[in-house]
Amino acid sequence: MSAHPNSAQPGAPPPALILQPERPQDGPLVDALIERAFGPGRYVKASERVREFATFAPELSVCAWSGERLLGCARMWHVRVGGQPVMFLGPFAVEQGERSAGFGARLVARACEAAQATGATHVVLVGDEPYFSRVGFATALGRQVILPGPVDQRRVLVRALTPDAGELVGPIEPA
């Protein structure tokens, strides 16, 4: 695996946090981070059912780097809800020792900005509203989004990316 292009020189201060789109060579490090963050239990979740048929969007997914060290990731996927093209965010993970650094919200916000720049109208995720509400997600727009498999509907969150985006209604399906 090649070194990250923003590597620091020996003896230099720690490099600044760099947020950038996920590259093909980042995949193994991202997968390892997700495994550490969620463990094998993630495979039984409804979000994993979505990722089985969704189309991965690495150009909209974001990695947080400090030199050669991957500190976090937010992956994005193309899906449809009720026939409307939208984005699905997840998994989102931050290294255990970095979770209070405050850049998790920056990762999610950057991924949403990338989706908005492509003309996407909504981003859907399954998560905790108190955490994700600070980056614009709410249950209100996701009340009628149907995920494959069982899910606590209060954890289905949506962020509207345009003022006239409206509520999503229907099942999540392949893009």
Side-chain angles (χ1 to χ4, degrees), residues 34-35 38-45:
I34 292 166
E35 177 65 30
F38 294 102
R42 74 181 185 280
Y43 293 113
V44 300
K45 295 182 177 188

Side-chain angles (χ1 to χ4, degrees), residues 56-83:
F56 181 48
E59 72 283 4
L60 305 180
S61 301
V62 182
C63 291
W65 294 94
S66 178
E68 292 182 35
R69 193 165 165 244
L70 177 66
L71 300 181
C73 64
R75 283 186 158 171
M76 295 288 266
W77 306 80
H78 295 280
V79 295
R80 290 182 169 289
V81 173

Side-chain angles (χ1 to χ4, degrees), residues 72-158:
C73 64
R75 283 186 158 171
M76 295 288 266
W77 306 80
H78 295 280
V79 295
R80 290 182 169 289
V81 173
Q84 180 177 346
V86 300
M87 300 306 300
F88 187 79
L89 190 148
F92 158 67
V94 175
E95 281 289 2
Q96 179 67 35
E98 306 295 334
R99 291 185 184 161
S100 62
F103 65 81
R106 286 176 54 199
L107 272 167
V108 172
R110 177 71 61 89
C112 290
E113 290 165 8
Q116 185 175 21
T118 69
T121 59
H122 298 82
V123 176
V124 178
L125 63 77
V126 178
D128 296 321
E129 188 171 24
Y131 179 86
F132 288 102
S133 65
R134 60 188 169 148
V135 287
F137 285 86
T139 57
L141 296 177
R143 291 182 303 228
Q144 297 184 63
V145 174
I146 302 165
L147 274 80
V151 67
D152 179 347
Q153 200 63 33
R154 295 170 297 183
R155 293 178 50 80
V156 178
L157 307 176
V158 175

Side-chain angles (χ1 to χ4, degrees), residues 12 19 27 32 34 37 47-48 52-53 62 68 127 140 159 173:
L19 301 180
I34 292 166
S47 294
E48 192 64 28
E52 288 172 352
F53 62 73
V62 182
E68 292 182 35
R159 177 176 168 178
E173 303 169 322

Side-chain angles (χ1 to χ4, degrees), residues 6-24:
N6 299 310
S7 301
Q9 298 298 317
L17 184 69
I18 304 294
L19 301 180
Q20 67 180 36
E22 185 174 329
R23 305 167 301 161

